Amino acid sequence: MKKIRFDEILPEGLRLHSTEDDWFPREEVAQHGSVAVELFLERLGSERVLLSGRLLATVGLGCDRCLREYEVGIDRDFRIDLEYTEKVSQVRGEHNCSDFEMDTVFIEQPEIDLDDLLHQQLLLSLPDKRLCGEGCRGLCSFCGADLNEESCGCHGKQSSSPFGILAGLKGK
């Protein structure tokens, strides 16, 4: 999208809608289809802005169990409190954070990099455990067969314990 300076935000706020995807982190996530972003920026004094928005996208992820690519719909509402301070390095240094500071993003310039914030929000919306389905059986750890498609017969060949091979060394 772009950068928005604090002084560009009107007293009644600034509403933005975009389907631009130049901010999308294609090097980290596969994009499937279009994206849509709705943002509302509200000034809270001369040095604070409240950014609320909604991000809609469809991304392709690799399953952690079977490695197949699958699609995930992203529908994320977010709210970010931004505060401009010339002393960001002091805020980032070691000190006790108040409750207010825990929910605030401190920035060094009175402008908001919307591309960077949308990039972050997309990555935060991705699942921690990426599964193509709850019942995904994954790959056979012995032969690598996709257990969702076939039964490989390796289960009987595997020792009951991963340390079973060490038992044979004990006698030597």
Side-chain angles (χ1 to χ4, degrees), residues 54-94:
R54 184 175 185 194
L55 171 62
L56 299 164
T58 303
V59 299
L61 300 174
C63 179
D64 288 343
R65 290 185 186 159
C66 69
L67 307 178
R68 274 193 237 161
E69 188 170 307
Y70 67 102
E71 289 186 358
V72 174
I74 304 294
D75 185 350
R76 180 176 179 87
D77 292 318
F78 57 92
R79 183 180 160 121
I80 304 170
D81 194 359
L82 300 145
E83 183 171 342
Y84 162 63
T85 180
E86 294 176 357
K87 301 176 183 178
V88 170
S89 59
Q90 290 178 353
V91 173
R92 287 184 185 156
E94 287 190 35

Side-chain angles (χ1 to χ4, degrees), residues 54 126 148:
R54 184 175 185 194
L126 298 177
N148 296 313

